[in-house]
Amino acid sequence: MTLRLAIFDCDGTLVDSQSDIGAAMDTAFVAAGLAPPPRAATRRVVGLSLPEAMRRLAPTDDTALHAELAQLYKDAFRSRREAGQVGEPLYAGIAALIEELAADGWLLGVATGKSDRGLAHCLATHGLSGHFVTLHTADRHPSKPHPSMIEACLADTGAAPAATAMIGDTTYDMAMAVNAGVRALGVDWGYHPPHELIEAGAEAVATSMTELRALLRGME
């Protein structure tokens, strides 16, 4: 039987974390004595590793500042989580889709700009941890769109690129999929608009969970 692997991005694909990310980013910049970036700018960098995201939000050559901002962001997000202020709700229909794919024999993975700790907490909160067999984060890989995370998912599972789909909401996800030689499937409920996903290499962009399910069924 052919191994089928569906790799999901997390923020903007599985969960709606926009308000949590924006609040933590604001806190980080204020703590560094800087004006917080516009929320639209913050949304544009979701999915990148933190140092790269900070480089784009604070475009200087000061790598020490970018490292400081990345740590301040981690601290702010962790403090919000410990205070019970992080929501990260699942998008409607995601849980059912994950359970259906797992029941049908799909291997499931995550490739995300989140930290290991953040991803583990998110999946555990929603009772989804047991469905995923391979998890890779920015803690252990270069920033998207480098293909490292997808390549690690392929190595973990033994799935072939042709039988693998990367599902995500940003151009970084789509470009990463193209770089890894797997199928790129976009979703329109996250951070980047559909036309940008297509330009970055998406085969198609789902506008509903039903459409995403149909796109994946087309691989069976």
Side-chain angles (χ1 to χ4, degrees):
M1 184 178 68
T2 300
L3 296 175
R4 297 162 298 171
L5 173 62
I7 305 170
F8 290 84
D9 171 54
C10 189
D11 295 311
T13 301
L14 295 178
V15 298
D16 183 1
S17 49
Q18 184 171 163
S19 62
D20 298 310
I21 291 171
M25 194 67 74
D26 289 352
T27 299
F29 270 71
V30 169
L34 300 173
R39 287 299 171 91
T42 295
R43 288 194 295 271
R44 292 295 303 175
V45 302
V46 173
L48 296 172
S49 66
L50 282 174
E52 176 61 18
M54 298 311 180
R55 187 185 69 80
R56 297 193 185 196
L57 292 175
T60 74
D61 294 328
D62 190 346
T63 56
L65 173 62
H66 301 149
E68 178 189 6
L69 286 168
Q71 187 59 54
L72 288 169
Y73 175 89
K74 290 180 181 180
D75 293 344
F77 208 100
R78 183 172 59 251
S79 294
R80 288 177 57 80
R81 184 185 301 118
E82 291 173 351
Q85 297 174 335
V86 172
E88 297 185 312
L90 290 172
Y91 287 103
I94 277 288
L97 176 62
I98 294 299
E99 291 171 2
E100 179 182 329
L101 292 172
D104 286 348
W106 282 75
L107 300 174
L108 302 177
V110 175
T112 176
K114 275 187 176 304
S115 66
D116 287 333
R117 178 183 296 180
L119 177 60
H121 181 273
C122 180
L123 295 179
T125 296
H126 296 296
L128 296 178
S129 303
H131 291 308
F132 292 93
V133 299
T134 178
L135 303 172
H136 288 278
T137 76
D139 280 351
R140 291 169 284 123
H141 295 277
S143 180
K144 300 174 182 180
H146 192 285
S148 177
M149 283 191 275
I150 291 179
E151 291 170 346
C153 289
L154 294 173
D156 287 346
T157 61
T164 299
M166 175 68 210
I167 300 105
D169 66 293
T170 70
T171 58
Y172 318 125
D173 297 316
M174 301 301 97
M176 178 174 64
V178 171
N179 291 339
V182 305
R183 299 183 68 176
L185 301 179
V187 299
D188 79 340
W189 48 80
Y191 297 110
H192 292 179
H195 74 274
E196 291 187 6
L197 301 182
I198 294 294
E199 291 168 1
E203 293 183 16
V205 178
T207 61
S208 68
M209 218 57 65
T210 299
E211 287 188 12
L212 179 55
R213 183 181 289 105
L215 289 170
L216 291 168
R217 291 301 184 209
M219 295 177 57
E220 295 180 352

